Amino acid sequence: MNDATEANGTAEAAEAAGSGGPADRGEGARHVRVVLVDDHRMFRAGVQAEIGQTGTTGVEVVGEAGDVDQAVTVITATRPEVVLLDVHLPGGGGVEVLRRCAALTADPERPVRFLALSVSDAAEDVIGVIRGGARGYVTKTITGTDLVDSIFRVQEGDAVFSPRLAGFVLDAFASTDAPPVDEDLDRLTQREREVLRLIARGYAYKEIAKQLFISVKTVESHVSAVLRKLQLSNRHELTRWATARRLV
Amino acid sequence: MPEAASLPVDAPRPPRKLYRSSDGRWLGGVARGLAGHLGLPVVWVRLVFAGLFMADGLGALLYAAFWFFVPLGVGGVGDQKPPSLVGAETAPDGRRRLVARKPDRGQIVALLLMVVVAMVFVGSVNLGSAAKAYLLPAVLVAAGVALVWRQADNARRARWAEVGRRRHTLTLLRAAGGVLLVTAGVSAIFVLQGSAAHLGAVLQAALAVLVGITLLAGPYLVRMTQDLSEERLMRIRAQERAEVAAHVHDSVLHTLTLIQRNAESPNEVRRLARAQERDLRTWLYRPEGTGKDEDEEPDTVAEAVRSSAAEVEDKHGVPIEVVIVGDCPLDEKTGAQMQAAREAMVNAAKYGGEGGAVQVYAEVEGRTVFVSVRDRGPGFDLDSIPADRMGVRESIIGRMERNGGTARLRAVPGGGTEVELEMERAEKTS
């Protein structure tokens, strides 16, 4: 499914202009160093062709890798700002790359940030890489423009939620009878829930801001808060993702 | 076995493998199997065995050896009537058909026959009286063993032939009967040996040994059976999966062919690719056990939303993104809501499709089911709905309100139209 729908993307691209987004620094000024990790060479070539025109997109592809070991080597050697990470990889999957690069991700000076990329619809895959430390998740059908946008969003430390991911997260934090272990991490606030719902309904950040009468920055901080909860919560629904759909 | 040569067993082996026949057999299927293998009428083989049986019981030995060593299989002689009746003639060399579904009566008859023949044989045999006394117990033992083996054959056959499983008690009864016969025979031999005085003690000891062996080997046996059945289950699953995979691959190939043929019309190509992608995703990412074909009647909200979206997508060629949170069984009210949602999707695809994908979001939260359908088309003014969109009022708003739900249509700030449908689920009847 084309998660980050074209429509969604164009709207986000449009909103970026007036939202303190990357565009504020001027088109020419923005620049990001990226490593592509994917076991399909064709896909890597496609992405490279689509976003690698550094002159126009500001994205510079500094390395590529086709499996976990290669990925760790390349990422350690090139220290990119953003890694486009395929969820399914030979040698342990994207989660394994995240695990072995944890030190780089946590580096306060020059953190390496990960954006997960997948064709998968499996909730446990998606939630798995997010919990592993990725700052967002988009599907491979995403358009070049949207992908570039998402990359810059991740570079700034924001989270990138596709409608599908938002749906998974809502499912994961669904109200259960189980008492929360940690009140701060195991529950979403009403506001966060509203934001996620609107993302799941295909709204762009700017539209969400309008709808809830808050600023885009606030929307972003809500999403980042959700991401943090998703990564740190110890609720068993998150740690052991239930594959069966929740039947209320 | 001097007479063994008289049996044309050592004939140059034809490519056919020797199996014991599992259907239409009388006892172990040896005669039928041999007859099939050698291309002789089964009567001849049986006659030869019977004749040899008269020759100091050699036939029985041979038969037993064959039974023991030759695997059970299909085949044997080809002149088989459909297994519909039991024609049990009382001559041992007569053609007797044992029905696969009712072999029990036949087997008892066969056993009786065996006993009769054995009696005749015992009467006619010339042995020292001492040895002769042992004959009856030996025959008893043989009969018991035969009974149990026959049972084992059945068990094996039931595994690969679609034979209706017989009742469990019968199986047990038969096995118990065999054991009883063997025990009786063995005891008789003991008695004959004059150790009748010790019989009680011997039996006790034997029982103790048996119990000990059961205790020791029991866990292993149980585990082995469990492993076996588990393995079989896994194999069946793997087979099913392989079949589905084959089907999927087939339809992928089919789609690719169609795409090449329709390369001129991008819309058709998009539609084909989209439908195939959906199929594949359904197969890959559906939790196991909930996999349903798209043409099956949905019975939960999630399934209903998905199948409607798929239909509309196919029909109108506009991609529809579906996100679903939670799920619940359909009832009358939510069923009506699903109808309305489908109508909303059709509208969105028809009038807002050029703005890109239609986004559908469904959520089940407690008793509330919420569905939103949004497009990014030009949008429309609700007050000036053109005539051809009267459907909106009736089939979406009207339908929802008649069933106690609400429908809201509105223009989205960012462009496009959004339909929100909200419905309380019917109270649980259970």
Side-chain angles (χ1 to χ4, degrees):
Chain A
M1 299 257 171
N2 181 0
D3 259 351
T5 63
E6 292 165 54
N8 194 2
T10 42
E12 296 207 1
E15 74 155 83
S19 66
D24 274 16
R25 290 185 309 276
E27 271 303 315
R30 64 176 192 172
H31 178 267
V32 62
R33 300 171 69 250
V34 174
V35 165
L36 303 180
V37 180
D38 195 298
D39 51 336
H40 297 96
R41 182 148 8 101
M42 260 172 74
F43 180 77
R44 292 206 305 266
V47 172
Q48 167 78 308
E50 210 165 9
I51 67 170
Q53 312 299 329
T54 318
T56 38
T57 60
V59 176
E60 183 193 352
V61 179
V62 294
E64 293 186 16
D67 62 40
V68 171
D69 292 342
Q70 261 182 17
V72 176
T73 314
V74 171
I75 293 167
T76 313
T78 57
R79 289 303 295 271
E81 292 159 280
V82 177
V83 177
L84 287 187
L85 181 66
D86 188 10
V87 173
H88 295 284
L89 271 183
V95 176
E96 182 63 14
V97 177
L98 285 159
R99 203 182 56 77
R100 284 163 63 179
C101 294
L104 299 176
T105 315
D107 181 356
E109 291 298 313
R110 293 162 56 206
V112 175
R113 296 194 169 110
F114 289 83
L115 174 59
L117 203 64
S118 171
V119 289
S120 169
D121 271 349
E124 56 269 38
D125 290 349
V126 179
I127 298 277
V129 305
I130 298 285
R131 282 182 67 84
R135 299 205 54 82
Y137 165 84
V138 290
T139 51
K140 288 186 178 179
T141 43
I142 190 170
T143 61
T145 326
D146 293 352
L147 184 56
V148 170
D149 246 45
S150 304
I151 290 171
F152 280 108
R153 207 181 272 282
V154 169
Q155 180 197 23
E156 288 177 29
D158 285 327
V160 174
F161 273 35
S162 61
R164 183 158 307 272
L165 175 56
F168 287 153
V169 175
L170 282 168
D171 242 342
F173 280 101
S175 45
T176 52
D177 301 336
V181 184
D182 181 338
E183 193 64 50
D184 286 343
L185 290 178
D186 295 351
R187 292 251 167 93
L188 296 179
T189 65
Q190 195 50 42
R191 239 342 180 207
E192 286 163 356
R193 224 172 248 292
E194 282 167 359
V195 169
L196 277 182
R197 274 206 190 98
L198 290 169
I199 293 177
R201 284 163 68 170
Y203 283 57
Y205 284 18
K206 193 179 175 191
E207 293 169 333
I208 297 172
K210 264 194 192 150
Q211 178 83 17
L212 301 177
F213 305 107
I214 53 180
S215 71
V216 174
K217 266 276 163 265
T218 315
V219 174
E220 279 172 358
S221 68
H222 280 311
V223 177
S224 294
V226 171
L227 185 79
R228 190 176 142 268
K229 289 182 181 184
L230 192 59
Q231 288 174 342
L232 298 178
S233 171
N234 285 322
R235 262 183 58 165
H236 72 95
E237 287 94 343
L238 301 178
T239 44
R240 275 182 41 251
W241 177 271
T243 43
R245 285 203 72 80
R246 197 160 53 91
L247 269 165
V248 183
Chain B
M1 291 188 199
E3 253 100 341
S6 72
L7 275 173
V9 183
D10 300 330
R13 292 191 58 143
R16 276 173 305 183
K17 216 169 159 289
L18 174 58
Y19 283 115
R20 287 186 286 115
S21 165
S22 69
D23 30 27
R25 60 188 183 162
W26 172 21
L27 192 60
V30 174
R32 287 187 65 87
L34 262 178
H37 185 65
L38 302 169
L40 300 170
V42 70
V43 193
W44 292 18
V45 183
R46 283 185 179 150
L47 273 173
V48 168
F49 270 120
L52 283 174
F53 191 76
M54 294 304 171
D56 285 355
L58 187 70
L61 274 177
L62 262 179
Y63 196 93
F66 269 115
W67 194 348
F68 195 75
F69 289 113
V70 177
L72 189 68
V74 276
V77 280
D79 53 12
Q80 289 170 18
K81 291 180 206 155
S84 55
L85 73 159
V86 181
E89 292 167 25
T90 40
D93 53 349
R95 283 291 275 294
R96 292 180 62 273
R97 295 221 167 270
L98 298 182
V99 184
R101 257 165 290 148
K102 290 199 284 181
D104 316 315
R105 200 163 35 140
Q107 260 155 32
I108 291 163
V109 175
L111 211 75
L112 283 175
L113 277 172
M114 282 250 310
V115 173
V116 170
V117 173
M119 291 299 179
V120 172
F121 167 67
V122 169
S124 68
V125 85
N126 278 327
L127 285 172
S129 59
K132 196 171 174 175
Y134 282 108
L135 198 62
L136 189 63
V139 168
L140 272 183
V141 172
V145 170
L147 198 60
V148 173
W149 277 5
R150 175 70 208 235
Q151 185 51 50
D153 273 356
N154 280 346
R156 184 183 299 176
R157 188 182 51 178
R159 200 168 289 180
W160 44 256
E162 282 301 318
V163 177
R165 284 287 168 93
R166 246 162 263 103
R167 286 194 305 281
H168 212 65
T169 46
L170 211 90
T171 311
L172 279 177
L173 267 179
R174 211 179 301 150
V179 171
L180 210 69
L181 279 173
V182 173
T183 315
V186 172
S187 309
I189 290 173
F190 264 110
V191 174
L192 285 169
Q193 275 184 339
S195 48
H198 306 300
L199 184 63
V202 170
L203 279 182
Q204 268 181 5
L207 198 68
V209 169
L210 275 178
V211 169
I213 287 176
T214 311
L215 281 177
L216 286 175
Y220 291 105
L221 279 174
V222 169
R223 194 179 316 156
M224 219 156 71
T225 4
Q226 279 174 348
D227 283 357
L228 262 175
S229 61
E230 198 172 313
E231 201 165 310
R232 253 163 61 200
L233 195 73
M234 299 289 279
R235 206 175 52 234
I236 290 167
R237 275 217 191 118
Q239 263 171 354
E240 272 175 8
R241 199 139 177 91
E243 269 170 36
V244 176
H247 167 76
V248 168
H249 293 171
D250 211 43
S251 71
V252 169
L253 285 175
H254 195 77
T255 307
L256 288 173
T257 313
L258 284 174
I259 285 177
Q260 289 175 53
R261 262 200 218 146
N262 292 299
E264 305 313 312
S265 61
N267 277 342
E268 184 62 8
V269 167
R270 211 171 288 133
R271 199 186 62 75
L272 282 166
R274 190 82 186 153
Q276 184 57 62
E277 183 191 359
R278 215 177 37 230
D279 268 4
L280 206 52
R281 282 185 185 283
T282 306
W283 181 68
L284 284 172
Y285 303 119
R286 271 291 164 84
E288 221 165 305
T290 59
K292 272 197 161 189
D293 285 342
E294 277 181 0
D295 39 13
E296 273 182 65
E297 205 51 43
D299 50 21
T300 72
V301 166
E303 280 169 16
V305 172
R306 278 208 189 87
S307 71
S308 298
E311 264 178 69
V312 177
E313 210 173 50
D314 274 353
K315 201 166 161 193
H316 299 277
V318 175
I320 299 185
E321 307 300 341
V322 183
V323 176
I324 300 173
V325 174
D327 199 359
C328 71
L330 279 178
D331 56 40
E332 203 170 318
K333 293 171 82 178
T334 46
Q337 185 186 20
M338 292 304 121
Q339 298 275 328
R342 190 176 181 288
E343 207 55 45
M345 290 181 215
V346 171
N347 269 310
K350 261 194 199 162
Y351 303 99
E354 63 274 16
V358 172
Q359 190 79 31
V360 174
Y361 174 70
E363 181 180 43
V364 181
E365 182 78 59
R367 307 225 54 78
T368 313
V369 181
F370 172 86
V371 180
S372 104
V373 178
R374 105 166 259 186
D375 63 61
R376 292 177 179 271
F380 69 97
D381 184 0
L382 198 58
D383 300 325
S384 61
I385 301 177
D388 65 339
R389 290 192 72 164
M390 279 306 289
V392 173
R393 280 222 174 97
E394 197 32 47
S395 58
I396 299 179
I397 302 175
R399 187 176 270 145
M400 287 302 287
E401 283 171 357
R402 274 197 301 277
N403 285 279
T406 54
R408 234 162 44 102
L409 271 80
R410 61 194 192 97
V412 186
T417 312
E418 182 166 49
V419 180
E420 294 178 351
L421 308 170
E422 204 166 306
M423 180 73 83
E424 289 293 310
R425 286 160 58 189
E427 285 309 313
K428 276 205 180 87
T429 46
S430 55

